[in-house]
Every structure is written in C-alpha cells, then in structure tokens.
Amino acid sequence: MIDLDLSDLPPALAARPRDEKRGLPIPVVSMHDGGVVDFVTLNGTAALRLALAKQCSLCDEPLAGPAAFLGGPMSAEAGHYSDPPMHEACAQAALTLCPHIARPHARRASARRVADDASIPVGFTEEKPEEWVLVIASGYLVGAAPAEGGGLVPLFVVRDRIRERRFVYQDGVLTETAAV
C-alpha cells in the first residue's frame, strides 16, 4: 500500500477503508456487492441510498448544508449528474486524489471494471473532460435515467445552484480557474 498523507482530508474521508494498491480512501459508492472495490463504476444502489438519506457519497457522513456535484461542463450546464452528491470538502479531495481527475492523461479504463452490478447510463462517454466543474447547490432531486442494455441508473439533478468552481489542467496540474 502506498503511504499517503491524509492529514489534509476531511476526517470522515480519511477514516474510510483504504485501497491496498493505491492507499486511497475507498468512497462508499465504490464498494460493490461481495465487498468488491471498483473505482471505475458506481454502486447505483448505494448512490441512491446515500442521496435519499442526504449523506455524502464519498465519506458516508450527513450532508448538513449544501451538496456538491463534480463533473464536466456538460453536466454542469444541464445540472444532471450520474455521480451522487457529496460534501464540498470531499469533492475537493477527489480533485487531487482520484487519478482519473487529477492527472491530465489518466483515462477511465472500461476494461478495468470489476463490479458485476455496474450499469452505464445511455449516452455516457468515456471521454475525459478538459475542464472539471464543481457545482455547489442547496438542493437536488433524485431520479433515474435509462441504462445501456436496459434498466435504469440513478440520476441526480441540481436544484438551487449556489456557485460553481472550475478547474483545468495547466502544465499537467489541475488548477482552479474561476469561481462563479
């Protein structure tokens, strides 16, 4: 296990079980049936449970205040997310800890999906955004969208946007560019 300095993380996120290979805290939504950890896909059942209970999808603590949503510009514009709400501090940590987000050339590898219970939304793209947008909202709705191959996947819809923060890759480092 890689020994990471987790002292700057929100305490509940730092206290999560850690991935043996990378040393990263394992988000609640990355835990799948049978204890399988899959950082590439979300556990839809857990995502729904957490969102409906108003708990952070990364640290599992209550969302007592605004909810944060992290995605690309298209998600921010539409206000629709496949990733469930989280604390702003946990989302900030994801920006630096998640290799897919933090590293400009890291790609989400579909072939590495290991969870059998994973569903993919219709229209989902593996293409990585050039910009990440962290949207802070005072509320959200929980719904469903069609899944590839049939069925449904959770959909989280921003209500009452408070602000957003934008991040782009500059010289290989994810850097905040503007707060709106």
Side-chain angles (χ1 to χ4, degrees), residues 111-171:
R112 286 201 309 251
R113 287 193 175 116
V114 295
D116 293 332
D117 61 343
S119 297
I120 309 299
V122 169
F124 177 81
T125 177
E126 295 283 343
E127 193 170 316
K128 183 175 183 166
E130 293 182 17
E131 176 183 43
W132 293 91
V133 185
L134 176 57
V135 172
I136 312 303
S138 61
Y140 57 90
L141 300 172
V142 179
E148 288 183 7
L152 298 171
V153 293
L155 179 69
F156 308 98
V157 181
V158 168
R159 289 189 53 212
D160 305 319
R161 184 182 305 238
I162 297 170
R163 69 182 185 286
E164 63 183 48
R165 298 169 60 194
R166 293 180 173 267
F167 301 82
V168 297
Y169 300 102
Q170 294 179 346
D171 298 322

